[in-house]
Amino acid sequence: MTEEVKPKSKLPLIIAAGVITLALAGGGGWWYVQQQKAVAVENAAVQALPATALVKKPVFLPLKKFVMSVKGDDRLHYLMLELSIMSYNEDQLKVLEDYMPVIRNAVITLVSGKDYESLSAQGVIPVLQSELKDYLGKVMNEMNSSNGIDRILITKMVIQ
């Protein structure tokens, strides 16, 4: 009557340990993928911002009272114009201050070449701002090899 004691099989314990290991590895992999998706969404949101929103606030250089004559069909007209140069680089704006006579001359040269009809037309301000930005940028590149002009804002324009 001696019973033989059979050794307990360790197979169920090994299987359970394998299942737990696989579950932990799968859960960890899922968590890693979710984190990478969150990082990708955050990076996309940062890249969607305009470049100007990622830099410091703009600084302005006002250009006061340009008064010039403008040719019309039957008589001479007068234009009074005030501008501001906007830049995100304060050092460049200080350089522009040193070239103020050149900048004022460039504005007068560009605008005085226009006639009364084109300056009094509907929607002329955005077009004129763009032309001034391009022309002043070109002049400053020739004079100083950099311009620092991010935008031209017409702050006052009266033509009569």
Side-chain angles (χ1 to χ4, degrees):
M1 303 223 157
T2 58
E3 287 187 26
E4 289 184 29
V5 177
K6 291 186 180 177
K8 290 186 175 178
S9 174
K10 293 185 180 181
L11 185 61
L13 185 60
I14 293 172
I15 292 174
V19 168
I20 290 173
T21 302
L22 286 174
L24 288 174
W30 176 83
W31 178 82
Y32 178 76
V33 168
Q34 295 303 314
Q35 293 301 314
Q36 293 304 313
K37 285 181 183 177
V39 169
V41 167
E42 186 176 314
N43 287 342
V46 169
Q47 290 174 353
L49 290 174
T52 56
L54 299 175
V55 296
K56 57 188 173 183
K57 73 177 197 166
V59 287
F60 299 92
L61 176 64
L63 304 177
K64 300 287 181 188
K65 279 200 184 157
F66 290 88
V67 179
M68 60 195 89
S69 58
V70 178
K71 195 179 279 192
D73 289 338
D74 55 348
R75 65 183 179 108
L76 204 56
H77 298 272
Y78 292 96
L79 171 70
M80 196 272 297
L81 187 66
E82 291 186 9
L83 312 167
S84 283
I85 297 175
M86 183 182 91
S87 178
Y88 289 101
N89 186 336
E90 192 168 353
D91 295 334
Q92 284 292 326
L93 224 55
K94 289 177 182 174
V95 170
L96 291 174
E97 288 176 345
D98 294 337
Y99 287 92
M100 191 53 65
V102 173
I103 291 170
R104 291 185 68 83
N105 178 61
V107 170
I108 291 170
T109 301
L110 179 74
V111 176
S112 67
K114 302 202 172 287
D115 63 356
Y116 175 78
E117 292 299 319
S118 65
L119 288 171
S120 61
Q122 186 76 18
V124 70
I125 290 179
V127 173
L128 187 57
Q129 288 177 153
S130 177
E131 288 176 356
L132 284 166
K133 179 186 179 287
D134 293 342
Y135 189 66
L136 288 175
K138 178 182 161 206
V139 168
M140 287 308 298
N141 279 332
E142 290 172 0
M143 297 293 294
N144 191 39
S145 298
S146 66
N147 66 39
I149 300 171
D150 289 304
R151 207 164 164 198
I152 298 290
L153 305 169
I154 295 178
T155 54
K156 190 181 287 184
M157 181 171 162
V158 178
I159 189 164
Q160 56 176 324

